[in-house]
Amino acid sequence: DQLTGLRGLLTVAAVNKDDVIFELPPALVLTSEVAQAGGIAWQQCSADPQAGVPLSPMHTSFALFILEQQAPGASWGPWVSMLPDNFAGFPLMYSDKELAGLQASPLRRVIRLDREAIASDHKLMIGKRPNLTLEQFQWARTAVKSRVFGLKSLWLRDRGALLHTPLRVDVDQLTGLRGLLTGAAVSKGDVIFELPPALVLTSEIAQAGGIAWQQCSADPQAGTPLAPVHTAFALFILEHKALGASWGPWVSVLPDNFAGFPLMYSDEEMAGLQASPLRRVIQLDREAIASDHKLMAEKRSNLTLEEFQWARTAVKSRVFGLKSLSGGVLDSEVIAMVPLADFINHPPDGVAKPNVVPFYNASTGSFRLTAIGNIARGEGLYWDYGFQSNRHSLLRYGFASKARVGLTDMPFFFRLIDASSTVGISHNLKMDIVRSAEKAGTLTMESDGTVLHELKLALTGPTAEQLLGHVRFMVVHAKKSSMLQEYCGDTFCRPINLGNERLALKQLSSLLERHLASYGTSADEDKATIDSGKLGPGDGARWDALIVRYGEKQVLRGFIRLLGAVDTLMDLSPWSLARMVSERWNNSDSDIHKYVQTNLTALVELETLRWAKRKVKEDRLRAERGAQ
């Protein structure tokens, strides 16, 4: 085109508005099903259970089909012969110099992940086509990616979706994230799309419609997976990769891989977390998924662990809890996956802001997305996921937020029976309590005595009370079973006395100090790295690990300082403590202040009362001895 300089389709005659320019029959619509059914190399791979599954099966099948149709006399040869000779200028083909032009853009990481995914798929395919070079495969995959038409919108409309705004799934140039972009300007308050119940895939639908899940459920010997809801969804997704599957158009556009999610971390990426307890949580997640895979593979023998991990990560990062989205109208939680809505990203720090909000209508079963601000054409759609912790956002969504470091909480492991490991009456009595609590199901403890707690800057509330209950149990010295039963019947001791409370807080401080010292760098060193700009969100796991471990160190340091401040209050008289509370610990909205106002004040008053009683008794005895 002389006007634009672009190679494309030009008219050779004038065309009027509303004229139909061309119509193509089904025979000229090359769907992924046609490409897979007609591709020789693809069929060979599909027929070989040992061949492995490509990260991007749809694009790979198209690419192999195109390359095969380059042969003389091939039925699609005339079309393939007109495809561009090269795709110079496409990011996949960028030189190092061209990539450097993106500077710190997260798009650099996206491009690298694309290259690695294509190289991985190429490695699988050369097993059936040994003369296939990486350069040929890159050319064909780029031809596919730049030329495919998404029929997903047609599938959505066929199922009753109302798309009030043109949408597409693509990489947002502003953030570098692949997600949902608008094709037209949207005003605040506009409804962007509405989805009927037929497009809200609940766990009940996935379980009822999943073949492998139904087989497992019908077999009483099959065992129950550790995560039944996520497993049912995962099996459903994998089954709907099949040709002609009813949810296939949605499944086909799910991410090819979840590199950057902790479940997929390499040993080097895991090491970036240093001494973070998150490493143990990730390992437990991996073991749980491997356990569920082992159960399911008995009913679906060709199910690889890698496929199952991919599907489980897709589920974990994309499920919606409909109770909160209904405004609390639902009585109980309903877990669902929602096509289209699952491509809405959380806004990255300082780059984008939330501009949409989802809503689930509990009475109609429909799902709606509404703009909460004006959105320009081509802009990405972003919704604040509402997470309060980098730990949770990393495990579930695969990223951490610098802006939320101050809200960090963390898992915290320690050995409950560590302080009571010596032989004696108190030890034996406590072990009886431990065994009884395990049997009753009120205590979850590993074989080495390790328990898991939630740690955040709080001394009241359910998680803090459980944590304090266990450190009280660790330091209590009881001579009678009745005393332990009264205060620590399930190993979670309620406040006993001021002496025990002081020992408990010192024990907790010691545990925290020991853990803080086990990290490879200090909090100050991590902050310097963050502030230096040498790492950023585009560095993926390295950045996320840095943000998470820095937040944890901040929590640990803050908690240790807090415990030290509370310890000094234990030396005060009730009257002095009351004055300190009125002057410095008077915030009724603070969990920490509440602990001082209630728990600590009551213990100090009780200790003073006990001291006064002892003093009266001693004075009386002294007076009686003097009279004699």
Side-chain angles (χ1 to χ4, degrees), residues 458-461 464-465 468 472 494-498 501 566 569-570 574 577-578 580-582 585-607:
L459 290 174
T460 57
E465 287 164 8
L468 292 178
R472 290 178 189 127
R494 58 187 176 87
I496 301 172
N497 55 51
L498 190 61
E501 195 74 0
V566 171
L569 299 176
M570 294 184 175
L577 178 58
M580 289 291 290
V581 167
S582 66
W585 301 82
N586 53 16
N587 184 354
S588 59
D589 294 327
S590 166
D591 291 337
I592 297 166
H593 287 211
K594 285 180 183 176
Y595 171 82
V596 175
Q597 294 164 10
T598 55
N599 294 38
L600 186 58
T601 296
L603 289 172
V604 169
E605 290 176 350
L606 178 62
E607 185 65 23

Side-chain angles (χ1 to χ4, degrees), residues 424-433 473 476-489 493 496:
I425 295 174
S426 183
H427 167 73
N428 294 336
L429 291 175
K430 285 201 279 189
M431 289 307 300
D432 288 341
I433 296 284
F473 184 80
V476 67
H477 289 280
K479 296 180 179 179
K480 294 182 179 180
S481 174
S482 58
M483 180 269 181
L484 273 182
Q485 289 292 346
E486 179 182 355
Y487 287 97
C488 314
C493 300
I496 301 172

Side-chain angles (χ1 to χ4, degrees), residues 346-570:
H346 178 84
D349 293 344
V351 182
K353 294 181 178 180
N355 53 19
V356 295
V357 63
F359 174 74
Y360 177 71
N361 190 319
S363 60
T364 65
S366 62
F367 191 100
R368 182 174 73 233
L369 188 74
T370 304
I372 57 173
N374 295 328
I375 306 172
R377 180 179 181 273
E379 191 176 336
L381 301 183
Y382 294 96
W383 168 50
D384 191 323
Y385 292 171
F387 59 86
Q388 294 297 312
S389 161
N390 275 325
R391 175 260 297 251
H392 291 298
S393 69
L394 182 60
L395 289 175
R396 181 170 176 181
Y397 302 115
F399 69 89
S401 166
K402 179 182 174 183
R404 281 177 163 79
V405 165
L407 300 173
T408 297
D409 59 18
M410 60 186 287
F412 190 56
F413 295 90
F414 60 84
R415 293 184 65 185
L416 177 65
I417 59 173
D418 219 24
S420 57
S421 57
T422 56
V423 176
I425 295 174
S426 183
H427 167 73
N428 294 336
L429 291 175
K430 285 201 279 189
M431 289 307 300
D432 288 341
I433 296 284
V434 166
R435 285 189 284 267
S436 177
E438 282 188 302
K439 186 176 181 180
T442 57
L443 173 67
T444 301
M445 187 173 72
E446 295 182 18
S447 58
D448 65 350
T450 297
V451 291
L452 168 63
H453 282 277
E454 297 290 312
L455 185 69
K456 59 181 179 180
L457 283 173
L459 290 174
T460 57
T463 58
E465 287 164 8
Q466 288 187 338
L467 174 63
L468 292 178
H470 267 172
V471 290
R472 290 178 189 127
F473 184 80
M474 292 176 75
V475 300
V476 67
H477 289 280
K479 296 180 179 179
K480 294 182 179 180
S481 174
S482 58
M483 180 269 181
L484 273 182
Q485 289 292 346
E486 179 182 355
Y487 287 97
C488 314
D490 54 2
T491 72
F492 297 102
C493 300
R494 58 187 176 87
I496 301 172
N497 55 51
L498 190 61
N500 175 268
E501 195 74 0
R502 186 166 225 168
L503 285 174
L505 296 189
K506 286 183 179 295
Q507 174 71 17
L508 178 56
S509 184
S510 175
L511 291 171
L512 299 177
E513 288 171 357
R514 193 184 314 156
H515 188 77
L516 181 59
S518 66
Y519 286 89
T521 56
S522 69
D524 293 336
E525 288 171 327
D526 286 346
K527 187 176 187 305
T529 303
I530 292 169
D531 293 342
S532 72
K534 294 178 181 178
L535 287 178
D539 292 290
R542 293 176 63 203
W543 171 259
D544 294 332
L546 171 63
I547 292 297
V548 166
R549 73 180 193 234
Y550 172 62
E552 291 177 350
K553 293 167 192 176
Q554 290 287 78
V555 169
L556 291 167
R557 290 202 308 186
F559 216 125
I560 292 167
R561 287 195 295 267
L562 166 64
L563 293 174
V566 171
D567 183 73
T568 62
L569 299 176
M570 294 184 175

Side-chain angles (χ1 to χ4, degrees), residues 74-97:
S75 58
W76 288 80
W79 164 62
V80 173
S81 67
M82 293 189 296
L83 294 177
D85 297 331
N86 67 77
F87 290 96
F90 279 69
L92 190 68
M93 311 300 180
Y94 273 10
S95 64
D96 291 343
K97 183 178 179 181

Side-chain angles (χ1 to χ4, degrees), residues 250-370:
W250 164 60
V251 174
S252 69
V253 294
L254 293 177
D256 297 332
N257 67 79
F258 289 96
F261 279 69
L263 190 68
M264 311 298 180
Y265 273 10
S266 64
D267 291 343
E268 182 181 356
E269 290 169 329
M270 284 285 278
L273 288 167
Q274 297 181 357
S276 170
L278 212 57
R279 295 183 68 165
R280 191 167 187 167
V281 173
I282 294 167
Q283 184 58 37
L284 291 173
D285 279 353
R286 289 176 173 174
E287 292 172 2
I289 288 176
S291 172
D292 287 352
H293 167 260
K294 188 176 180 180
L295 282 178
M296 298 303 109
E298 294 177 4
K299 300 299 179 184
R300 184 173 169 169
S301 56
N302 62 341
L303 176 63
T304 68
L305 178 58
E306 290 71 22
E307 282 181 299
F308 192 64
Q309 285 177 325
W310 171 85
R312 280 285 294 267
T313 309
V315 172
K316 187 173 186 177
S317 62
R318 298 176 114 70
V319 289
F320 289 83
L322 299 183
K323 183 177 181 179
S324 62
L325 297 185
S326 72
V329 173
L330 288 173
D331 294 329
S332 58
E333 187 60 272
V334 175
I335 304 300
M337 300 187 76
V338 187
L340 205 62
D342 61 344
F343 278 96
I344 304 169
N345 286 312
H346 178 84
D349 293 344
V351 182
K353 294 181 178 180
N355 53 19
V356 295
V357 63
F359 174 74
Y360 177 71
N361 190 319
S363 60
T364 65
S366 62
F367 191 100
R368 182 174 73 233
L369 188 74
T370 304

